[in-house]
Amino acid sequence: MISIIIPVYNSGKTLDRVIEQLVQQTSDDFEIVFVDDGSTDNSVEIIKSINLKNLNYQYIYQKNEGVSSARNKGISYAKGQYLMFVDPDDEIEVNFIEKGIELINDADLGIMGFNEVDVSTGNVTITHQWHQNKLMDFKIYLSNFSKLYNSELLFSLWNKVYRLDIVLDNQLTFSDIRMGEDFLFNMQYFDYIKKIKIDTEVTYHYLRYNDGTATTNFHGDEFYCNYKNQKYMINFLIKHSIYDENLVSLHWSLILGYRFADLRKLKKNNDDKYGMARQQYFQILRIYENEKLVQMKFLPLMRRLKYFVMKTNLNRIFI
């Protein structure tokens, strides 16, 4: 049986939709673990109105402690052999769980394709999927790590199925960092797997909302979150002798680019966080100077030029 962990926080506007999609699943070998993270809307009423004949579920309440805490709580209540994760404001195909069962039956990790959807237009903005259905041993997985990373199939939780015993035996939990906790959990999990099964089919739709969520506002901890994730990944690459200067250089330059864009946006909007953010940016540059993780020769030409501007005194023209 698969336990589907769903963290809920004031999700009343979208809960009915995802519950209906769960009811319609082609497999019934699953339970839902709803973890209510201190909702103040009608989420609890929606969940408790579910007919147990239609859906096998648990409802757990906790005071508001964040999505990582909610997922950890859900794992502790899971009764299945396997784990999957769904966010209540996304959408799933009717064979989402059936496909998960198919993948995990002879592997330690299953990976499926997923779409990103712009809610304002209803259009799919990008599809992430591997080029073939594939069962990989760990050695083959490591040889494909950079390609899988660049395909963005490794970051998220909801296109994967996990073994609960691996999570519990190795005491794997979600970090309390504000963003990127999914990837950090995955990176820890990757250390304990022997076989990975990948399917090209798209079964999950990640809905992007332009509503001032964590991915669209500046909080000041963005670089810390990126840094923690990337350093864990770098240690993983070194540990398994697959360090890729091309991969590391490109993604570290992109991280600096995100922080540079944050700063420019704050300046343009006359935001009172600008002074703090600008000071932080120059602290970040010192880290880049000390660690030398970006090798410019590995960057595409335009990225190389942008990185040069961001790193040198030319940056003063823009920020």
Side-chain angles (χ1 to χ4, degrees), residues 6-12 15 34-45 47 59-71 73 88:
I6 303 183
V8 175
Y9 179 70
N10 291 345
S11 306
L15 259 177
F34 292 104
V35 183
D36 185 347
D37 187 40
S39 295
T40 57
D41 67 352
N42 64 335
S43 294
V44 59
E45 286 83 5
I47 295 169
Y59 171 80
I60 291 91
Y61 178 86
Q62 67 173 27
K63 66 179 182 179
N64 183 238
E65 296 179 358
V67 67
S68 290
S69 174
R71 286 174 178 148
K73 178 68 70 71

Side-chain angles (χ1 to χ4, degrees), residues 203-216:
T203 60
Y204 195 98
H205 307 287
Y206 170 57
L207 274 55
R208 286 195 173 277
Y209 297 81
N210 186 21
D211 59 355
T213 59
T215 54
T216 57

Side-chain angles (χ1 to χ4, degrees), residues 5 35 62 66-78 85 167-168 172-176 185:
I5 311 298
V35 183
Q62 67 173 27
V67 67
S68 290
S69 174
R71 286 174 178 148
N72 289 334
K73 178 68 70 71
I75 290 170
S76 72
Y77 278 85
F85 296 88
V167 174
L168 296 180
L172 304 183
T173 59
F174 287 92
S175 168
D176 61 359
F185 178 85

Side-chain angles (χ1 to χ4, degrees), residues 213-269:
T213 59
T215 54
T216 57
N217 278 347
F218 179 80
H219 294 262
D221 62 349
E222 284 82 357
F223 181 74
Y224 166 74
C225 295
N226 293 146
Y227 186 83
K228 186 169 184 177
N229 282 323
Q230 291 293 310
K231 290 294 283 188
Y232 197 100
M233 184 192 74
I234 288 168
N235 290 336
F236 177 90
L237 297 176
I238 293 171
K239 175 182 177 181
H240 295 289
S241 303
I242 56 168
Y243 188 81
D244 184 338
E245 288 181 305
N246 192 322
L247 175 72
V248 173
S249 293
L250 178 60
H251 285 275
W252 270 87
S253 71
L254 288 172
I255 287 170
L256 190 64
Y258 297 146
R259 305 292 72 84
F260 191 73
D262 286 340
L263 191 51
R264 293 192 68 193
K265 189 184 298 182
L266 293 171
K267 181 179 181 181
K268 179 180 178 181
N269 294 338

Side-chain angles (χ1 to χ4, degrees), residues 152-177:
E152 299 189 27
L153 288 169
L154 300 184
F155 301 156
S156 56
L157 302 172
W158 17 255
N159 68 321
K160 298 179 181 65
V161 53
Y162 308 81
R163 282 179 44 187
L164 180 61
D165 61 342
I166 289 178
V167 174
L168 296 180
D169 290 350
N170 298 288
Q171 300 180 318
L172 304 183
T173 59
F174 287 92
S175 168
D176 61 359
I177 59 173

Side-chain angles (χ1 to χ4, degrees), residues 253 296 299-310:
S253 71
M296 288 183 64
L299 302 180
L301 178 59
M302 288 307 297
R303 176 56 54 186
R304 194 180 309 169
L305 291 173
K306 289 178 181 177
Y307 185 72
F308 180 76
V309 169
M310 292 186 296

Side-chain angles (χ1 to χ4, degrees), residues 125-139:
T125 56
I126 189 168
T127 297
H128 304 279
Q129 57 191 154
W130 197 234
H131 58 273
Q132 62 176 329
N133 296 341
K134 185 79 172 176
L135 178 63
M136 302 178 180
D137 62 23
F138 192 62
K139 184 177 179 180

